[in-house]
Amino acid sequence: MGGHDAGSQHQFTGFAKYFNAYTMVGRRNCVLATYASLAAIGLFFKLKPKKQAAVTEK
Amino acid sequence: MTLSFFDQFSSPMFLGIPLMALAIMLPWIMFPTPSSRWINNRMLTLQNWFINLFTKQLLLPLNTAGHKWALIFASLMIFLISLNMLGLLPYTFTPTTQLSLNMGLAVPLWLATVIIGMRNQPTHSLGHLLPEGTPVPLIPVLIIIETISLFIRPIALGVRLTANLTAGHLLIQLIATAAFVLMPLMPTIALLTTVLLFLLTLLEVAVAMIQAYVFVLLLSLYLQENV
């Protein structure tokens, strides 16, 4: 499948150099960052300590 | 024993012996064996012509690395088209109406294309999950959507073939039953129903060939992205 961008006409600097939607490397990094974020969110909720309900005296 | 319209889709058994393997192997014995003669007979020439034409057409968009899949694509096409066409004969069993068979073909082949892509060119394979030029706020959403669509591909491949074949066979049986039942009651309507049945059978012949082709074509497209 042709048409992927070699990135020669896009000159990004800084953060956009590594995370953009135009170059193949930029797109790959965005995908990996999204997957890492989702994994981190999942891990956070899995490892979050559950609050115990307060015991009230009768 | 009460017959239902779905009996034609039940796995064939004879005295408790499953005949599924025989049903799947049946097309193999019907094709002429390739020979090493310079000029072959008509059947073999026709078969070779069709396989060459189909394989050349399918492999046009693929690069050299993808040409390794020529044999598997050609044999898959012959397998599916022969199973589909044989199933249109009355009182025959069509193995491609079974979801298990179609998923058994779709999932490993799709997974092979994904693994080849991830192994040989991981940057391109992962990069394809984000369409080029996506606006920044939409990037995470689109990545999730593309990932879901990637995993839905084998399910869609298998279910598309199953549903098309099953629906077609069911329609043929329904309309044939209607024509048969209406014959003593309303002969004119029965005749119209028979004409409809004839047209539907022609449609099913086309669907049988097209669905086999679409299955193999989509697999070649998935391979194109990854090779």
Side-chain angles (χ1 to χ4, degrees):
Chain A
M1 201 161 165
H4 61 258
D5 190 359
S8 52
Q9 64 267 42
H10 297 285
Q11 299 295 329
F12 294 108
T13 53
F15 188 78
K17 189 178 172 190
Y18 300 102
F19 293 93
N20 62 74
Y22 291 94
T23 61
M24 201 43 93
V25 173
R27 282 152 74 184
R28 181 204 69 187
N29 290 342
C30 286
V31 169
L32 290 174
T34 307
Y35 286 164
S37 310
L38 289 169
I41 292 167
L43 215 61
F44 170 73
F45 281 106
K46 195 177 162 73
L47 297 174
K48 194 172 85 164
K50 288 184 178 60
K51 285 182 200 169
Q52 285 183 354
V55 178
T56 54
E57 284 189 18
K58 286 183 187 173
Chain B
M1 193 181 91
T2 314
L3 283 171
S4 84
F5 284 110
F6 293 98
D7 283 344
Q8 61 178 314
F9 302 121
S10 56
S11 202
M13 296 265 270
F14 180 67
L15 299 175
I17 305 164
L19 297 175
M20 181 56 102
L22 199 67
I24 290 170
M25 279 199 303
L26 189 67
W28 176 45
I29 59 173
M30 294 189 141
F31 285 104
T33 319
S35 80
S36 52
R37 285 168 181 254
W38 186 38
I39 295 175
N40 297 306
N41 60 29
R42 288 185 189 88
M43 270 296 287
L44 206 49
T45 308
L46 196 65
Q47 179 183 277
N48 291 342
W49 168 80
F50 173 72
I51 293 176
N52 288 339
L53 178 77
F54 168 78
T55 312
K56 269 191 284 191
Q57 172 66 31
L58 196 71
L59 261 52
L60 264 175
L62 284 169
N63 59 19
T64 323
H67 290 179
K68 286 184 218 170
W69 284 62
L71 182 61
I72 198 163
F73 281 152
S75 40
L76 186 65
M77 174 69 178
I78 299 290
F79 180 61
L80 290 175
I81 204 170
S82 55
L83 284 179
N84 290 350
M85 297 291 279
L86 283 171
L88 287 169
L89 296 168
Y91 296 106
T92 53
F93 172 71
T94 318
T96 40
T97 54
Q98 306 295 305
L99 188 65
S100 51
L101 179 85
N102 297 333
M103 291 301 279
L105 290 170
V107 172
L109 290 170
W110 162 83
L111 193 61
T113 62
V114 169
I115 289 173
I116 283 171
M118 287 292 170
R119 192 171 170 271
N120 296 341
Q121 38 181 39
T123 303
H124 279 103
S125 294
L126 285 170
H128 275 307
L129 288 169
L130 176 62
E132 195 179 336
T134 308
V136 172
L138 284 175
I139 287 175
V141 177
L142 226 53
I143 288 171
I144 294 169
I145 289 172
E146 287 287 327
T147 308
I148 293 170
S149 86
L150 177 73
F151 283 98
I152 274 188
R153 278 178 180 180
I155 303 170
L157 261 182
V159 172
R160 183 186 299 110
L161 186 57
T162 310
N164 270 286
L165 270 292
T166 309
H169 282 66
L170 209 56
L171 258 177
I172 283 176
Q173 188 163 7
L174 282 167
I175 291 177
T177 309
F180 185 70
V181 164
L182 284 171
M183 197 65 79
L185 303 169
M186 290 183 273
T188 320
I189 306 292
L191 192 66
L192 287 173
T193 315
T194 311
V195 169
L196 181 66
L197 178 65
F198 176 70
L199 294 172
L200 182 66
T201 309
L202 287 178
L203 174 72
E204 283 308 311
V205 169
V207 163
M209 292 190 281
I210 288 166
Q211 287 305 318
Y213 176 62
V214 160
F215 192 97
V216 181
L217 181 72
L218 283 170
L219 273 171
S220 76
L221 287 175
Y222 301 156
L223 182 69
Q224 230 176 293
E225 289 177 1
N226 288 302
V227 87

